[in-house]
Amino acid sequence: MSQPLPRHVAIIMDGNGRWAKAHKIKVALGHRKGVEALRAIIRESSDLGIEALSLYAFSTENWRRSPQEVAALMGLLLEYFTSEIDELDEKNVRIRILGDKDGMPDKQRAALINAEARTRDNTGLNLNLAINYGGRAELARAARLLAEKAVRGEIAPEDIGEDALANELYTAGLPDVDLLIRTSGEMRLSNFLLYQCAYAEFLFPETLWPDFGLEDYHAALAAFAGRDRRFGGRKA
Ligand code: IPE
Ligand code: IPE
Ligand code: MG
């Protein structure tokens, strides 16, 4: 595998709807096919020894979709956690949910809480699933948590810097995103990991998410390895 590997890969898994349309099948089946793609990418990330993988599964804006599509996605989510948790735990994967679990339906919320609790002590791949997630909401929440600490006298306002803020994000303790991939050719962040992507390298493959396979993933990792990252500095 091409070196250096990114420590933290983030993926906006986009294109399930267009994939379903192209195959003249229901959008729910496009999402189902998308889950299959996700399984393979998670397994490969774990096998490669990538430290963190963040996947955008459901945004705070995705509630705007039809009740049928939202219900299909919620159903798939529950199914996913029920069927995958044993294998993920066995692979030493630690699951974190990025997003507002309280805004989820009861069964889904319970499954998310269980997955986090069960894998809390695992030391392999950090698998972050962004569900009911919005980057701005995450930053607002971090500001609120810091304000509450200040009111309680636990921190002074002058102690609030970048590290203090990062520590209140869902990704606290994890490295910043090195590589962000958005499939389906769309070139926008759609409110994903706004803070964590400050110096991420971006890749926008045309492939629709259900077709994104290991070859595409390896090509993305190779493209990342060829990037010249300067972080504002200048190389000699
Ligand atoms: C991404 O696929 C999956 C979710 C948003 C849950 P889309 O459903 O957005 O696919 P397109 O953009 O309509 O093709
Ligand atoms: C972003 O994709 C969210 C997920 C992939 C879960 P969308 O398809 O919802 O984003 P927009 O609406 O095209 O920006
Ligand atoms: Mg989309």
Side-chain angles (χ1 to χ4, degrees), residues 67-111:
Q68 291 85 344
E69 185 173 351
V70 169
L73 284 166
M74 290 299 138
L76 267 179
L77 205 82
L78 203 57
E79 204 181 303
Y80 177 78
F81 278 95
T82 314
S83 66
E84 298 301 298
I85 186 74
D86 287 341
E87 187 189 331
L88 291 171
D89 192 21
E90 236 160 69
K91 273 194 162 289
N92 200 21
V93 171
R94 173 167 178 187
I95 298 172
R96 280 183 184 80
I97 305 302
L98 318 182
D100 180 18
K101 293 188 288 275
D102 291 339
M104 295 293 287
D106 290 347
K107 276 189 193 161
Q108 281 74 6
R109 184 174 60 247

Side-chain angles (χ1 to χ4, degrees), residues 14-15 18 65:
D14 200 10
R18 277 160 284 168
R65 298 191 179 192

Side-chain angles (χ1 to χ4, degrees), residues 37-59:
L38 161 155
R39 277 199 188 97
I41 297 300
I42 293 173
R43 201 171 298 130
E44 182 69 359
S45 303
S46 164
D47 291 349
L48 286 173
I50 284 173
E51 222 173 297
L53 175 67
S54 296
L55 301 171
Y56 208 1
F58 193 87
S59 74

Side-chain angles (χ1 to χ4, degrees), residues 83-156:
S83 66
E84 298 301 298
I85 186 74
D86 287 341
E87 187 189 331
L88 291 171
D89 192 21
E90 236 160 69
K91 273 194 162 289
N92 200 21
V93 171
R94 173 167 178 187
I95 298 172
R96 280 183 184 80
I97 305 302
L98 318 182
D100 180 18
K101 293 188 288 275
D102 291 339
M104 295 293 287
D106 290 347
K107 276 189 193 161
Q108 281 74 6
R109 184 174 60 247
L112 302 182
I113 291 171
N114 172 58
E116 283 188 317
R118 185 162 158 197
T119 63
R120 179 154 294 143
D121 297 326
N122 288 352
T123 54
L125 173 70
N126 288 290
L127 174 62
N128 304 324
L129 294 162
I131 295 170
N132 197 17
Y133 174 87
R136 287 182 171 181
E138 179 185 36
L139 288 165
R141 172 180 175 271
R144 199 162 53 241
L145 292 170
L146 288 170
E148 286 166 5
K149 282 188 179 172
V151 166
R152 289 197 299 265
E154 292 166 20
I155 50 165

